[in-house]
Amino acid sequence: GVRVTPEELRSVNEVLECYVGSHDFHNFTADKCSDESPTETVRYVTRFSCGEPRLNSFGVEYVSLIVEGDSFIYHQIRKMVGLAIYMLRFREDGERVPEMKRILGDPRRRFVPLAPSLGLMLERVMFQKENKTHGGYHTLLDFGCVERQMLEFKVSRVYPEIDSKEQAEQKKGESSQHLHSSMHVWLKFIDRTRQAWTKYFDDLWMPGPTDLDWLFNQGSGGGGPRNGPRDHEDTARIMPCLVEAVAACGGKCTFYPDLHEVFVERLRSRRPLNKNGREKLKQDIKAFRYAGCSTQLLTFEGDAVVMAPNSKAIMEEFGKLEERVDRSLLSGVGRG
């Protein structure tokens, strides 16, 4: 089987080292609540590096990634891993570190792929500050005395569970695989949509709030749950994001999982749509006409969603002529 080389491990560590220190991880989390300040996303990473490679019972070699920090925000670690894998997979040696630093220091919204959760685990809680402050008065909080038992538990229980789930997901047919169910499935998705993750997007078409769960269940009326994005105002609010997502994928992509995942990341939604929500969204896309006219921005060819040749120009004109369009379709919505 394929085995990692010392040179490859050095490349991984060079990329991971970019995360060490204090950074604003606003691009490494889901949609923030409107009352959160920018400082809410600043975190300090004290260590991020490779562990020793291990060979599992199926003959596959894995490399552990070890990250330590004061605290982490929602999806931060999975997105740090996702971006690192993207850089290592699609960027040359001399490009990776400068690009990582640009993204980490960029105040604009950037696509950052979300790696699967399978394999992510909390190994231990560190109490250095507490021990330093109260060590003279209380028993030190330290796991050193159970280090061997912790390692044995990982090797005998945790690792086999991860390996079995990964192996089981790979044997499933593509139609029944969940995008984030295994690294193997996710890597194929990243290969298909690689160009989308290098695109910049401005905030013009960001509905606010951008959490799909809120947007599709509350909507502009703010009156209680609905079964999906059924009314014209909700569809108009998200259509520009859908067009941008398809454009980022090259103008054509499968509706699910490719468009759905890129679209969810475009909105920074905390939750993707369930199967019923996706089907209703698909029907809305098919039925939607720009500003009540006959123009259809997105069409379907089988399971693939395709951007109409004039879609991007229409959306640009839509922004330029905002004052001539019903503002209720464009205005941000507050949390009621």
Side-chain angles (χ1 to χ4, degrees):
V2 178
R3 298 292 180 262
V4 66
T5 66
E7 292 76 18
E8 289 170 330
L9 287 176
R10 279 195 291 271
S11 296
V12 176
N13 279 320
E14 285 179 2
V15 170
L16 298 180
E17 181 70 22
C18 295
Y19 290 120
V20 175
S22 181
H23 302 283
D24 184 352
F25 288 97
H26 72 103
N27 278 320
F28 292 77
T29 187
D31 174 44
K32 303 196 300 293
C33 296
S34 58
D35 59 349
E36 287 181 338
S37 66
T39 55
E40 293 288 338
T41 54
V42 174
R43 292 294 187 274
Y44 187 81
V45 176
T46 55
R47 175 193 176 195
F48 206 167
S49 61
C50 291
E52 289 296 321
R54 70 177 182 89
L55 197 64
N56 69 11
S57 59
F58 300 101
V60 179
E61 187 176 59
Y62 283 90
V63 177
S64 298
L65 304 181
I66 304 168
V67 58
E68 296 177 5
D70 288 345
S71 65
F72 301 101
I73 51 180
Y74 185 58
H75 282 170
Q76 179 186 339
I77 295 176
R78 291 172 62 185
K79 282 179 173 284
M80 288 195 295
V81 172
L83 181 61
I85 289 175
Y86 178 87
M87 290 295 171
L88 291 160
R89 203 169 178 86
F90 301 122
R91 290 289 184 266
E92 300 297 328
D93 287 347
E95 301 174 338
R96 293 168 186 154
V97 171
E99 181 67 11
M100 288 285 293
K101 291 181 177 179
R102 279 197 295 271
I103 293 176
L104 280 168
D106 198 334
R108 292 174 291 184
R109 292 177 182 251
R110 290 293 303 268
F111 269 176
V112 176
L114 178 68
S117 59
L118 183 62
L120 176 62
M121 62 179 176
L122 175 64
E123 184 166 290
R124 70 183 66 198
V125 179
M126 315 293 284
F127 294 101
Q128 290 99 325
K129 291 181 180 179
E130 289 77 5
N131 287 338
K132 184 176 181 180
T133 303
H134 305 293
Y137 307 96
H138 302 282
T139 302
L140 293 179
L141 299 171
D142 186 14
F143 293 98
C145 60
V146 291
E147 189 82 31
R148 181 177 59 81
Q149 291 91 327
M150 290 168 60
L151 178 60
E152 289 176 352
F153 182 81
K154 280 197 302 183
V155 172
S156 64
R157 300 288 297 276
V158 178
Y159 289 162
E161 180 74 10
I162 294 172
D163 297 338
S164 297
K165 287 184 177 180
E166 177 78 26
Q167 192 73 6
E169 286 296 326
Q170 292 184 26
K171 292 180 179 179
K172 290 182 180 179
E174 287 197 8
S175 59
S176 60
Q177 288 176 333
H178 186 275
L179 181 60
H180 291 106
S181 59
S182 75
M183 186 61 71
H184 176 76
V185 175
W186 181 78
L187 287 175
K188 291 196 294 184
F189 160 76
I190 287 293
D191 288 342
R192 294 194 305 267
T193 60
R194 57 179 293 185
Q195 57 186 321
W197 308 103
T198 62
K199 301 288 185 181
Y200 282 87
F201 291 93
D202 59 37
D203 291 338
L204 176 61
W205 297 115
M206 292 297 289
T210 55
D211 191 333
L212 276 178
D213 185 63
W214 187 93
L215 183 64
F216 285 3
N217 286 300
Q218 294 285 114
S220 56
R226 293 198 305 274
N227 292 324
R230 301 311 304 158
D231 69 34
H232 183 73
E233 290 191 7
D234 282 352
T235 308
R237 206 173 263 115
I238 64 174
M239 182 57 67
C241 297
L242 285 164
V243 172
E244 284 184 339
V246 178
C249 291
K252 179 178 181 180
C253 61
T254 58
F255 175 75
Y256 182 79
D258 293 4
L259 171 62
H260 179 245
E261 181 67 17
V262 173
F263 173 57
V264 166
E265 178 59 30
R266 174 70 178 93
L267 294 181
R268 288 185 177 168
S269 175
R270 299 178 189 276
R271 300 175 186 86
L273 291 174
N274 59 25
K275 188 174 182 179
N276 289 337
R278 294 196 302 268
E279 186 58 35
K280 290 172 181 176
L281 176 59
K282 181 185 291 188
Q283 297 306 316
D284 275 8
I285 292 174
K286 290 179 178 178
F288 184 79
R289 298 293 187 275
Y290 166 70
C293 301
S294 60
T295 304
Q296 192 161 14
L297 302 178
L298 300 174
T299 58
F300 280 84
E301 294 179 2
D303 291 332
V305 60
V306 183
M307 187 173 70
N310 57 345
S311 293
K312 201 166 185 180
I314 290 174
M315 296 317 305
E316 290 174 356
E317 195 67 16
F318 195 69
K320 293 176 186 176
L321 304 180
E322 179 180 345
E323 69 280 1
R324 292 171 53 185
V325 182
D326 182 358
R327 290 182 179 273
S328 68
L329 302 184
L330 294 172
S331 59
V333 287
R335 294 181 183 270

